[in-house]
Amino acid sequence: MRDLSRLFQPRSIAVIGGGAWCANVIEQCAKMGFAGPVWPVHPTRSELGGVAAFASLDALPGVPDAVFIGVNRSLTIETVARLSTMGAGGAVCFASGFREAQAETGDGDSLQEALLAAAGEMPIIGPNCYGFINYLDGALLWPDQHGGERAERGVAVLTQSSNMAINITMQARALPLAYVGTAGNQAQIGLSEIGAAMLEDPRVTALGLHIEGIGDLRAFEALAARARALGKPVVALKVGKSEQAQKAAVSHTASLAGSDAGARALLRRLGIGQVESLPGLLEALKLLHFAGPLASNGVASMSCSGGEASLMADTGLGRDIRFPPLDEGQRTGLRAALGPMVALANPLDYHTFIWGDGAAMGRTFAAMMGGEEIAMGCLVVDFPRIDRCSDAAWDCVLEGAGHAARAVGKPLALVATLPEALSERVAARAIAEGLIPMLGLDETLCAIEIAARMGKAAVPEPLTLPGARKTGVAHVLSEAEAKAALASHGVAVPRSERVESRVALAAAAARAAYPVVLKSEGLAHKTEAGGVALGLKDAAAVTQAAGSMPGESFLIEEMIDGGVAELLIGVVRDPAHGFVLTLGAGGTLTEILRDSGSLLLPTTEDAVRDTLQGLRIAPVLAGYRGKPGADMGAILAAVMAVQHYVLAHADEIDEVEINPLIVTPTRAVAADALIRKGDKDE
């Protein structure tokens, strides 16, 4: 990994260009108290942003560590070449009109290649890029206003959208920002490399990513690995929907996997927390900054209102969050603090009769958080707006909560149900008391869920990445061929006989062991096309069923009885994220039920088991209402056999699907299978 420390922690900055954008860079550095020199460079201007300018790069008193290049695209290339020759530490290329504009200009690709050649070994960010803000050192290669302030330590946030970066700096959530950066076209340095470089700064506690697309999977894996080694969490907001899975319309797996299943599986695999909103990203980063990963997902929730207690409990539904029942120690402490009139539970409504008594509130909160299963506490409290009301009566909350956090030694968050009900002024007081100010119940519980998952994340194996597939024509194997291929790797399949003509069907039917299933070959969705007949009990039934089926070739197969459930096992090639394995409820209702989970290959039996247990159909697999359960060992063996087949043919596989896998108390049998692959070039 290249050294980006001169660029991101510069001792000197040069600004090339004379427009308002360049003046903003100079003015912002002065406003934020950058300690080093800032050198404007312009051939005709005597000053820029209130600082004396130099006529050329050669006139500078030294070689700059970091350079903001705010000139047109052609001059940008010339400037980068000169800076590289000088030995500058790196540059931000602000100009647009490179690869992102190829469709409009026709020369964007060639100009971006020329820019890369000009840079050589010198790091460049962009082009088409706003740059970055270093709030730790007051170094801003940033051409616009921002809403942040200097910090001694904090989180780094990176985005592929300059406008979103500006918005993030305007947050009023008491989140300490160390860096805010953009990546632009990522011509030379990608989001992953920028993130890894920022994590190397010991003052950075966590990394937030707004991702539109992951271009280099190996670099992204390296970022996650470095973050784990440094003990610094990463949280991502992934947007943008790949069309890859939608193109594979031949299978159920494609529609189940959806457009972002691969991205979700990738982030989960790498131990990166995923959020669904920008507020969620900021709140998760805040919790991780102040508390780090949590020991468990056990939460003690406290409020002075039954409505808030119920709302907290309801908000936790569907999340991997627990509100553990109170143990005897908690009950004893709470009863001593609250007396006999309060119903004790988690979430707790501690009522208002102790309001105003900071010491009693502290004893209550400490008792609640003392349970062995509790990893952190949430004190739900909304403060009055001080432009119309007084919040003096809320001082007791800060006093009591601060006492409890110090006494118990576990994280305690002040959680406002409404963002406007916990101001930056109150948040600063809360932080001074050792508390974590959090905004929004859902965002808070999302953050806790992520922090708890990070506390037990395992180190993943490297991904198996699909290379550029061979240029042979893609084709779909017949069902018989697909089953034979999978069976050779350990997948259990029904006994069957393939019949290549209607003439031969009667003789084959006479040999069959009944009951059987008759299938017409060559149909992608046999049930919909009338190409399947189940439970046929004799040869006459086979002949009759064949009469109404399309096609000329058939499979006569063993009928699998005693099924507990039907599952789907599917793998699709996803160029953006690797091979995506989808597990879900199978059969004819696959798309309607949409009960599935996804992993990336290679995976483990433990990960497969966890995914299956997360399905809505999991109780059926375990044995529902006294009925026998499925043979979980056989299911795991089937999934691992499919993985073995895919990994053995990774250079040619586009798609593999078993649907349904009929699972019984003793077996897991692939009743139907599909393989789509590309021929290898010889």
Side-chain angles (χ1 to χ4, degrees):
M1 186 176 74
R2 75 185 84 219
D3 184 6
L4 303 180
S5 58
R6 284 181 68 196
L7 176 59
F8 288 126
Q9 298 105 39
R11 295 185 178 180
S12 60
I13 296 173
V15 180
I16 316 297
W21 300 110
C22 295
N24 285 340
V25 175
I26 297 165
E27 292 166 0
Q28 292 292 352
C29 284
K31 181 179 179 181
M32 297 298 287
F34 177 62
V38 178
W39 299 320
V41 178
H42 195 275
T44 61
R45 305 238 345 224
S46 61
E47 64 86 26
L48 189 68
V51 178
F54 296 86
S56 68
L57 287 171
D58 293 332
L60 293 179
V63 177
D65 287 327
V67 183
F68 183 88
I69 304 175
V71 296
N72 67 55
R73 56 184 189 155
S74 297
L75 192 53
T76 292
I77 296 172
E78 297 176 23
T79 303
V80 164
R82 179 68 187 111
L83 289 169
S84 179
T85 302
M86 291 174 62
V92 168
C93 299
F94 179 61
S96 58
F98 291 86
R99 182 155 290 157
E100 86 286 351
Q102 172 64 26
E104 291 78 19
T105 65
D107 61 356
D109 287 346
S110 60
L111 283 175
Q112 188 152 307
E113 292 301 321
L115 179 66
L116 285 173
E121 295 300 313
M122 185 186 75
I124 58 171
I125 299 176
N128 187 32
C129 176
Y130 251 46
F132 66 89
I133 301 171
N134 173 347
Y135 285 115
L136 303 169
D137 303 308
L140 291 86
L141 274 72
W142 188 261
D144 208 335
Q145 63 181 351
H146 64 94
E149 60 184 1
R150 291 288 293 267
E152 294 184 0
R153 58 193 293 272
V155 305
V157 183
L158 297 177
T159 171
Q160 291 173 255
S161 164
S162 297
N163 195 62
M164 283 193 62
I166 295 174
N167 296 342
I168 289 167
T169 72
M170 303 298 173
Q171 60 89 24
R173 295 170 173 267
L175 172 64
L177 295 171
Y179 292 90
V180 173
T182 64
N185 287 14
Q186 304 182 74
Q188 181 202 68
I189 301 175
L191 204 69
S192 299
E193 192 172 355
I194 296 173
M198 290 181 175
L199 285 175
E200 293 294 337
D201 191 321
R203 300 166 293 179
V204 171
T205 56
L207 174 65
L209 301 173
H210 164 248
I211 305 171
E212 295 174 9
I214 300 170
D216 187 339
L217 274 174
R218 287 294 180 229
F220 199 69
E221 283 186 300
L223 166 64
R226 187 58 184 154
R228 283 194 302 274
L230 293 170
K232 297 183 179 183
V234 182
V235 184
L237 171 60
K238 174 69 174 66
V239 299
K241 307 297 184 182
S242 164
E243 295 180 359
Q244 181 274 334
Q246 308 299 336
K247 294 178 180 178
V250 69
S251 78
H252 296 278
T253 302
S255 63
L256 266 190
S259 56
D260 66 343
R264 290 181 178 277
L266 175 66
L267 296 174
R268 184 169 58 250
R269 179 192 188 93
L270 296 180
I272 294 173
Q274 184 172 8
V275 296
E276 304 298 328
S277 68
L278 190 54
L281 175 67
L282 300 182
E283 293 305 307
L285 288 171
K286 190 194 304 179
L287 178 61
L288 291 165
H289 168 78
F290 286 110
L294 297 174
S296 76
N297 63 351
V299 178
S301 176
M302 301 156 279
S303 66
C304 65
S305 161
E308 290 172 340
S310 298
L311 186 58
M312 189 67 152
D314 286 352
T315 306
L317 290 176
R319 292 203 174 278
D320 188 15
I321 295 289
R322 294 183 305 115
F323 298 103
L326 302 179
D327 60 30
E328 193 57 38
Q330 288 172 293
R331 288 184 172 278
T332 299
L334 288 170
R335 190 60 72 204
L338 294 173
M341 301 301 292
V342 175
L344 304 183
N346 185 19
L348 174 70
D349 168 15
Y350 60 86
H351 293 211
T352 57
F353 70 87
I354 60 169
W355 190 273
D357 186 342
M361 296 173 80
R363 291 193 296 272
T364 298
F365 304 153
M368 190 67 181
M369 293 174 59
E372 293 185 4
E373 296 185 62
I374 302 302
M376 73 169 290
C378 289
L379 179 56
V380 182
V381 56
D382 285 36
F383 288 76
R385 50 186 299 168
I386 60 171
D387 59 336
R388 300 175 185 172
C389 307
S390 170
D391 64 357
W394 272 252
D395 288 349
C396 58
V397 176
L398 296 171
E399 176 190 347
H403 167 78
R406 291 187 292 272
V408 179
K410 296 177 182 178
L412 175 55
L414 287 188
V415 183
T417 61
L418 299 174
E420 58 269 27
L422 206 164
S423 68
E424 284 187 294
R425 181 184 64 84
V426 173
R429 293 179 61 196
I431 292 169
E433 290 283 356
L435 308 171
I436 308 171
M438 301 290 290
L439 307 183
L441 298 187
D442 190 62
E443 289 83 358
T444 298
L445 293 182
C446 171
I448 294 172
E449 184 178 39
I450 287 171
R453 190 175 296 131
M454 288 180 172
K456 59 180 181 181
V459 177
E461 293 182 53
L463 290 171
T464 296
L465 303 184
R469 189 170 57 72
K470 304 298 184 179
T471 56
V473 177
H475 68 282
V476 178
L477 273 61
S478 71
E479 181 180 342
E481 292 171 331
K483 285 179 175 175
L486 293 172
S488 69
H489 287 263
V491 175
V493 300
R495 298 187 305 273
S496 68
E497 181 175 352
R498 184 170 183 265
V499 181
E500 297 186 356
S501 70
R502 291 180 179 272
V503 173
L505 184 63
R511 294 190 295 269
Y514 290 91
V516 299
V517 177
L518 179 67
K519 298 178 180 178
S520 177
E521 283 199 301
L523 302 175
H525 301 296
K526 298 180 181 67
T527 301
E528 292 90 329
V532 178
L534 305 175
L536 303 178
K537 297 182 179 179
D538 53 38
V542 170
T543 303
Q544 181 179 357
S548 61
M549 289 185 181
E552 294 297 321
S553 62
F554 300 88
L555 291 177
I556 301 176
E557 289 192 339
E558 168 193 6
M559 178 76 181
I560 308 300
D561 292 317
V564 171
E566 295 183 345
L567 295 177
L568 173 141
I569 304 172
V571 177
V572 293
R573 168 191 291 264
D574 182 346
H577 306 109
F579 285 102
V580 182
L581 166 67
T582 297
L583 305 172
T588 58
L589 299 180
T590 296
E591 282 91 355
I592 294 175
L593 295 176
R594 302 196 72 82
D595 179 20
S596 66
S598 294
L599 299 164
L600 295 180
L601 301 188
T603 190
T604 64
E605 286 193 2
D606 286 343
V608 170
R609 183 183 290 106
D610 288 345
T611 301
L612 291 170
Q613 290 175 347
L615 300 177
R616 293 193 298 275
I617 201 175
V620 176
L621 299 177
Y624 188 61
R625 293 190 173 181
K627 293 184 178 180
D631 185 339
M632 185 58 69
I635 298 173
L636 295 175
V639 176
M640 302 312 289
V642 170
Q643 171 172 270
H644 189 265
Y645 172 78
V646 172
L647 298 185
H649 302 84
D651 58 345
E652 54 183 336
I653 289 298
D654 283 339
E655 191 173 1
V656 175
E657 179 179 282
I658 295 173
N659 186 28
L661 180 79
I662 299 178
V663 296
T664 78
T666 59
R667 305 172 69 188
V669 183
D672 199 353
L674 175 148
I675 295 176
R676 186 161 62 93
K677 59 193 293 189
D679 292 326
K680 297 180 183 178
D681 285 340
E682 298 297 334

